[in-house]
Amino acid sequence: MRKVSQIMAEKKNLMTYEGLKKLEDELQDLKVNRRKEVAQKIKEAREQGDLSENAEYDAAKDEQRDIEARIEEIEKILKNAEVADDEFGAGVINLGSTVTVYDCEFDEELVFKLVGSTEAKSLENKISNEAPLGKALIGKVAGDEVEVETPSGIMKYKVINVTRE
């Protein structure tokens, strides 16, 4: 029987090309620029003498730890990253699609981009392919209707438009 950690390590991180590029750029910045900046802060704080009561030194070491943790996190994501190709073709919802749906219950149109779980940001209208609505929409086209089970009941949506960038 496999351990949970092995199963988690094997899970692919589906992403858009845009999301992959953004993570690669962040990783590059952290490794090339931010590491040097924090190393310089640590060096300057050390030169001030007694490290036991040196707030600048403690803050710089905390920042260094945060940078290294983020580098490790991004490297894990990228190790299992897989850019979703447009296997369905034009007009069919997949990762990277910008989708306009009609929310039947609230009588309103919603526009969002379908992205991988590591890229999801609801405040930027980016929903995950693993979210209930995202899962329901994969493979659908304009005119299709979907039902999504939520904690507050079943929600109905109609796909109005699908575009790819």
Side-chain angles (χ1 to χ4, degrees):
M1 185 157 125
R2 295 188 302 176
K3 295 179 181 176
V4 173
S5 61
Q6 288 174 317
I7 295 168
M8 292 300 290
E10 294 170 11
K11 180 182 180 239
K12 288 291 181 193
N13 291 317
L14 284 177
M15 340 181 63
T16 61
Y17 177 75
E18 171 189 329
L20 178 71
K21 183 78 174 114
K22 189 174 179 182
L23 276 178
E24 288 174 340
D25 290 347
E26 181 182 355
L27 182 62
Q28 180 71 8
D29 181 57
L30 288 169
K31 285 182 168 182
V32 174
N33 301 319
R34 301 276 302 176
R35 272 183 172 163
K36 285 180 186 173
E37 290 170 11
V38 79
Q40 184 61 33
K41 287 180 186 178
I42 290 170
K43 180 182 175 205
E44 290 170 5
R46 275 192 179 134
E47 291 171 355
Q48 294 176 12
D50 184 12
L51 299 179
S52 63
E53 295 183 22
N54 188 328
E56 288 85 8
Y57 179 77
D58 291 341
K61 290 298 278 184
D62 287 346
E63 186 178 355
Q64 182 183 43
R65 185 187 63 246
D66 294 346
I67 288 169
E68 294 305 319
R70 181 63 180 155
I71 287 171
E72 185 178 330
E73 178 185 16
I74 292 172
E75 286 176 338
K76 281 181 184 175
I77 291 169
L78 292 176
K79 179 180 173 202
N80 294 312
E82 186 174 299
V83 175
D85 57 1
D86 200 2
E87 63 188 81
F88 296 117
V92 182
I93 299 172
N94 195 9
L95 259 67
S97 296
T98 299
V99 182
T100 304
V101 296
Y102 174 73
D103 183 329
C104 299
E105 184 176 341
F106 292 102
D107 189 32
E108 66 180 351
E109 284 188 9
L110 307 169
V111 179
F112 53 84
K113 185 170 186 172
L114 191 65
V115 296
S117 60
T118 58
E119 302 171 77
K121 290 186 175 124
S122 60
L123 296 176
E124 295 177 15
N125 295 326
K126 293 181 178 181
I127 68 164
S128 168
N129 64 315
E130 296 177 10
L133 180 57
K135 277 184 191 177
L137 289 171
I138 295 281
K140 302 294 189 240
V141 296
D144 286 351
E145 293 185 9
V146 296
E147 291 185 352
V148 179
E149 192 172 333
T150 69
S152 60
I154 294 181
M155 304 289 290
K156 294 182 182 180
Y157 300 93
K158 182 173 183 173
V159 179
I160 296 171
N161 190 30
V162 181
T163 58
R164 299 273 303 173
E165 295 171 7

